Amino acid sequence: MKEEGKKMMTKTERIDAVLSGQKPDRDPISCWYHFGTQYLPGEKYADIVFSFYEYYGFDWLKVMNDYFYPMPVGYDALKSVEDLKQLKPIEIDATPLHEQLTAIDIINNRLKGEAYVCDTIFDPYQSLQKSPVGEYLPRLMKEEPQAVLDALEIVTQNTIEYAKRTLALGTHGIFMSILSGEDKISKQDFLVFEKPFAMKVFAAVKEMGPMNTAHLHGKHIDIDECLDFPVAVLSWEDRQVGNPSLQEVKRKWSGAVMGGIDNTIMTRRTPEFLMKHTLEGIEMGGKSRFFLANGCSSPAEMDTYALKAIVDVAQQRR
């Protein structure tokens, strides 16, 4: 129940309190999942995202981004050194990423400053892995590491350009997914092919995004290797076995943490269980420097009643 006489903060005041290390009136909450709408134009995607935000009443909006990094013209795979050289600076407005920027612009204009918006991007390594290089990436990393590093540099510069574009539209932060767990990438490869390029992206937009967030993706994360990302927030699946807890990271990290809800159980438990689980997450997060959220993307088949119950109990409506 709400405390009598306690002043309710606005959504932006609540976020600002968390980012500044102050105690908010309650922990802000948001959740997200992949809509599978990457075949749609940005205008239609904006309608879907905005209705999602309004229906659940989240405290901030993380906009998913399923528009893939573009393939070089005339290629269906990049599997050699010569192929990798086809990666060039891109004209963003001539790629599917233009649709995401269109959606972001519409969403920011509709919100009119009511809530913070974060745009999802993937680190340069994942941009190569998800489609252009795909299954050939492990072999090329082993046999032609310099060619891969050169390719990553090109993708990094394109990613920086995209990040600057979305932040210039009024977005409050980039939420960048970074492969960090040992189940996703070895520590050596993380330090050579992953982290340096993610660092460059964050460093380039450090002053532009007050809510820039590093999402550490995977299990068995070496958190000590991730504490120097120049961001305001760290996000990860804190409730997965083998990953650091919220409390552990807060002892080592001066910024805010994001998590508390186990996304892997959100379609396998009753609303009653999930509400108790959410309250446990709130206790784990503490009274400051904490954003309540799913550790990673929730299943898209999430029961609307269950997700609404999670949000309501977090916002003290149940």
Side-chain angles (χ1 to χ4, degrees), residues 1-300:
M1 298 294 292
K2 297 176 185 176
E3 297 178 19
E4 289 296 326
K6 187 174 182 179
K7 179 182 179 296
M8 289 289 293
M9 291 180 167
T10 65
K11 293 181 179 184
T12 55
E13 288 173 341
R14 194 169 291 124
I15 300 301
D16 286 338
V18 174
L19 292 174
S20 64
Q22 304 301 308
K23 181 181 177 181
D25 58 342
R26 60 168 174 78
D27 298 313
I29 180 173
S30 190
C31 292
W32 51 85
Y33 49 70
H34 294 275
F35 294 103
T37 54
Q38 55 267 40
Y39 58 92
L40 291 177
E43 294 84 356
K44 289 188 177 181
Y45 181 50
D47 288 339
I48 292 169
V49 173
F50 197 77
S51 64
F52 177 71
Y53 162 80
E54 285 194 313
Y55 182 84
Y56 290 108
F58 297 128
D59 289 303
W60 83 95
L61 177 59
K62 175 187 175 297
V63 183
M64 298 298 282
N65 186 346
D66 292 323
Y67 296 103
F68 275 37
Y69 189 90
M71 291 288 299
V73 176
Y75 284 79
D76 294 322
L78 304 180
K79 50 189 176 181
S80 69
V81 172
E82 289 304 313
D83 290 348
L84 289 175
K85 290 179 180 178
Q86 301 309 307
L87 290 165
K88 308 287 185 183
I90 60 174
E91 176 55 53
I92 291 173
D93 289 331
T95 76
L97 294 172
H98 168 76
E99 303 303 334
Q100 179 76 3
L101 289 175
T102 297
I104 286 289
D105 192 27
I106 293 170
I107 291 164
N108 280 324
N109 285 327
R110 286 186 186 175
L111 281 172
K112 298 178 180 177
E114 173 188 307
Y116 274 42
V117 175
C118 290
D119 189 1
T120 305
I121 66 176
F122 294 87
D123 69 86
Y125 178 90
Q126 286 189 85
S127 292
L128 287 184
Q129 182 193 57
K130 283 164 66 70
S131 180
V133 184
E135 66 272 21
Y136 299 104
L137 189 53
R139 175 179 60 79
L140 288 169
M141 288 164 57
K142 182 178 179 180
E143 297 177 0
E144 302 289 350
Q146 189 57 52
V148 174
L149 292 172
D150 292 344
L152 285 168
E153 190 61 51
I154 295 293
V155 176
T156 297
Q157 294 308 311
N158 289 329
T159 304
I160 288 171
E161 178 62 24
Y162 176 87
K164 288 181 176 180
R165 286 277 301 273
T166 189
L167 291 166
L169 291 173
T171 304
H172 301 85
I174 57 170
F175 182 103
M176 184 158 66
S177 173
I178 306 165
L179 294 189
S180 307
E182 291 180 9
D183 64 323
K184 303 295 183 183
I185 191 169
S186 71
K187 182 174 180 178
Q188 180 180 357
D189 286 344
F190 171 77
L191 293 175
V192 174
F193 297 101
E194 185 94 24
K195 182 179 178 180
F197 301 97
M199 289 285 284
K200 287 183 180 182
V201 176
F202 281 131
V205 296
K206 181 180 179 181
E207 304 304 323
M208 297 180 69
M211 199 175 168
N212 285 343
T213 301
H215 173 65
L216 311 175
H217 188 55
K219 300 176 183 178
H220 302 287
I221 295 167
D222 184 347
I223 194 63
D224 291 330
E225 292 291 353
C226 302
L227 297 176
D228 55 346
F229 282 116
V231 296
V233 188
L234 291 179
S235 157
W236 72 102
E237 292 177 279
D238 63 285
R239 301 195 73 164
Q240 290 297 300
V241 175
N243 274 350
S245 68
L246 294 167
Q247 300 97 320
E248 176 186 347
V249 176
K250 287 179 76 174
R251 287 193 294 268
K252 298 180 175 183
W253 160 260
S254 61
V257 298
M258 183 181 294
I261 299 173
D262 184 353
N263 53 288
T264 68
I265 67 170
M266 292 175 78
T267 58
R268 297 293 182 269
R269 300 293 189 277
T270 63
E272 177 187 63
F273 180 96
L274 292 172
M275 286 189 286
K276 293 178 181 177
H277 176 81
T278 300
L279 293 174
E280 289 174 358
I282 290 172
E283 288 298 314
M284 292 174 178
K287 299 185 182 301
S288 65
R289 296 193 292 127
F290 174 55
F291 292 96
L292 179 64
N294 40 331
C296 196
S297 180
S298 303

